[in-house]
Amino acid sequence: MFLDEIADMSAITQAKVLRVIQEREIERLGGSVALPVECRIVACSNRSIPELVAGGQFRADLYYRLNVIGIDVPALRDRLDDIEELAVYFLDRLAARRGGSSPGITGPAVARLRGHDWPGN
């Protein structure tokens, strides 16, 4: 199960997710019988969950359960050397989908991409 932007979960939802993780069961909406579930959880956030835990905005026990393997991916604005390779990859992919050949990318285009501030990434 993929939980996108877990930092935005309400306290009630955090409690429900924690219960599913700990008890390994769910109740269907409107149901009264607990059903066993077995799943793996991948969660992501663009905010620092440890800071939210320290501020009391995210449950420490849920963070403990979710933080088994952490992967920190720096923002693209902090990885400018990756921009050209990413641009070439996506151009090649688009060209393949359209049945043509990739036009490649020019030096000025790469410079413009590297000059972008990449907000929100």
Side-chain angles (χ1 to χ4, degrees):
M1 178 172 29
F2 180 66
L3 302 175
D4 192 14
E5 293 303 334
I6 59 168
D8 296 336
M9 271 189 211
S10 68
I12 293 169
T13 304
Q14 289 179 34
K16 289 179 180 183
V17 169
L18 181 61
R19 180 176 173 261
V20 169
I21 293 170
Q22 290 177 331
E23 305 298 325
R24 295 185 175 169
E25 61 185 25
I26 61 168
E27 244 179 67
R28 287 187 179 153
L29 189 59
S32 59
V33 177
L35 303 170
V37 294
E38 186 175 329
C39 67
R40 302 287 184 248
I41 297 174
V42 176
C44 76
S45 179
N46 65 357
R47 296 192 291 171
S48 172
I49 302 300
E51 288 177 13
L52 295 174
V53 168
Q57 298 166 314
F58 196 87
R59 293 180 64 118
D61 49 358
L62 177 57
Y63 174 65
Y64 171 78
R65 293 286 187 174
L66 292 174
N67 191 33
V68 176
I69 297 174
I71 301 172
D72 185 31
V73 180
L76 187 55
R77 66 179 160 270
D78 298 330
R79 302 179 290 125
L80 295 179
D81 292 338
D82 292 346
I83 290 176
E84 182 174 4
E85 187 174 342
L86 287 167
V88 168
Y89 169 79
F90 286 114
L91 281 171
D92 290 347
R93 189 170 164 189
L94 179 63
R97 194 176 329 155
R98 292 187 172 177
S101 62
S102 178
I105 190 163
T106 65
V110 171
R112 185 162 179 163
L113 288 170
R114 289 176 65 101
H116 187 66
D117 60 354
W118 301 102
N121 183 322

